[in-house]
Every structure is written in structure tokens, then in C-alpha cells.
Amino acid sequence: MQFWEIVIVAIGLTLEAFNTAIIKGAGQRNLTKGKLFGISLVYSIIEISLLGLGIFLGWLPMKHIQGQHFIGISEWFSALILIGMGVKMLAIMIKHKQITEQREKDLNYKDIIKLALTTGFDLIAFGVVLALLGTSILRDLILVFSLTALLVTCGLWMGYRLGTKYKYVVDGCSGVILIIMGVKVALHYFQLI
């Protein structure tokens, strides 16, 4: 997987954190810059920790099994993971639960940790994909940390200012991105591109 492809998939996955941040931002009574950046930092650290866990879990079989056949299977498995995550995102968009916006208590860090852990399970799967495809681990961790921090910050601010109006459009975009990249990996496996 080339770097630009990893960037696209990482954007697709971090859009889930962006959506969560929009919803939580819409419910905040008071969102200061310090709180905004603190929440983004904590969220990003948890997300890269989960990505790192996925990379480790994917690296374990690669450490002991080498060969062209296993590498081919890992590409196919990676494509299935990406397509599955994309379908999940589209299903979330189609369900389209109405969100009642109201100002609530301010977020505390315990809530942020729960949210980051909940939305981060896709990053564990993405970490497995990255390990199976043999990408640069440090570069991928820095990329996901940066994207998560940026998108959570923007999501909180947008939710606080605009509400949840665009949440479902973002879910759909995220799903389409992941499916397209999964199909691209599958086509590469079959040597069609």
C-alpha cells in the first residue's frame, strides 16, 4: 500500500472520530480552546494506542510466517477488512438515527476515553491491515495521530458552532472511501491494476 493510499484510508477511519466529536461538540455548554485541544490530545493518544495494538497483532503472524503465498493472503484479508469497515459506515449512515441537540454537561476526560475506545476498534483492524501489508509503522502512527487530533478539534468546534447537521454525510463519505480502497487492494491482489 502506497503512502497516499494509507492517507486516504486513515482519513476515512478518522472521520468516525470527527463524527463523534461533532455530536459531543453540539452538546457542550462552554468549549474553551484549552478544553478543545486537551480533548483532542487525549483522543488522539488513545486512537494511536489502538492502532499500535492492531499493528502488533498483525505483525505477530508475519514474524513467524514468510513467503509469497502468505503475503498474497494478507492482501486479500486486508481488502476484506477495509470493505467490511466501509459497509459498516454506510450502514450507520442508512440507519440515520435522529439526534436531539441540547446543551448538556461538559465532557470530562473519562467520557472522552470511553468514546475514543469505542470508535477506535476500527483502528485495531486497520493496524492489522498495515502490519500485514508491511508499511512504515512510525509514519503510520504519526499520520493517524495528526489526522485524529485535527479532525477531533474541527469536529468539536463544528458541532459546538453548527450542530449535527452534516454528521450523516460524513458517515457516508467515510464508508465510500474505505470500500474504494478495499476494492483497490483486492484488484491489486488479482493484478488487475
Side-chain angles (χ1 to χ4, degrees):
M1 201 172 221
Q2 295 178 8
F3 181 68
W4 68 270
E5 295 168 319
I6 293 169
V7 170
I8 291 170
V9 173
I11 289 170
L13 287 172
T14 54
L15 285 175
E16 188 174 10
F18 178 73
N19 276 338
T20 302
I22 287 174
I23 293 168
K24 290 304 175 182
Q28 295 304 295
R29 276 191 241 145
N30 185 22
L31 188 64
T32 63
K33 287 181 183 177
K35 187 166 202 163
L36 183 72
F37 293 118
I39 289 170
S40 297
L41 179 66
V42 169
Y43 207 105
S44 300
I45 289 170
I46 292 169
E47 296 277 295
I48 65 160
S49 298
L50 293 172
L51 178 67
L53 174 63
I55 290 170
F56 178 73
L57 292 174
W59 172 78
L60 284 175
M62 293 294 285
K63 177 182 172 192
H64 300 292
I65 305 171
Q66 292 296 325
Q68 199 61 25
H69 180 67
F70 183 75
I71 292 170
I73 291 171
S74 67
E75 281 185 356
W76 182 241
F77 186 66
S78 299
L80 289 176
I81 289 172
L82 291 171
I83 292 169
M85 289 187 301
V87 168
K88 180 191 127 195
M89 294 290 189
L90 289 176
I92 290 170
M93 181 193 79
I94 291 168
K95 285 182 185 174
H96 190 68
K97 286 194 305 188
Q98 186 65 30
I99 298 171
T100 305
E101 291 182 37
Q102 61 184 20
R103 300 293 180 188
E104 55 188 42
K105 66 179 177 80
D106 288 336
L107 277 173
N108 59 39
Y109 288 100
K110 185 178 176 182
D111 295 334
I112 295 302
I113 291 169
K114 286 180 193 175
L115 287 171
L117 288 171
T118 305
T119 62
F121 283 109
D122 288 343
L123 284 169
I124 294 173
F126 184 49
V128 170
V129 168
L130 294 175
L132 291 175
L133 296 177
T135 64
S136 171
I137 295 170
L138 182 60
R139 177 195 67 193
D140 299 341
L141 290 172
I142 292 170
L143 172 69
V144 169
F145 178 85
S146 303
L147 284 172
T148 303
L150 176 69
L151 290 176
V152 168
T153 301
C154 292
L156 283 168
W157 183 84
M158 284 178 64
Y160 184 69
R161 296 287 181 211
L162 304 174
T164 60
K165 184 176 180 179
Y166 301 105
K167 180 206 177 308
Y168 298 103
V169 174
V170 176
D171 276 332
C173 291
S174 178
V176 169
I177 288 170
L178 294 172
I179 289 170
I180 288 171
M181 294 311 294
V183 168
K184 192 257 176 221
V185 170
L187 290 174
H188 184 265
Y189 170 77
F190 290 115
Q191 299 178 348
L192 297 173
I193 57 170

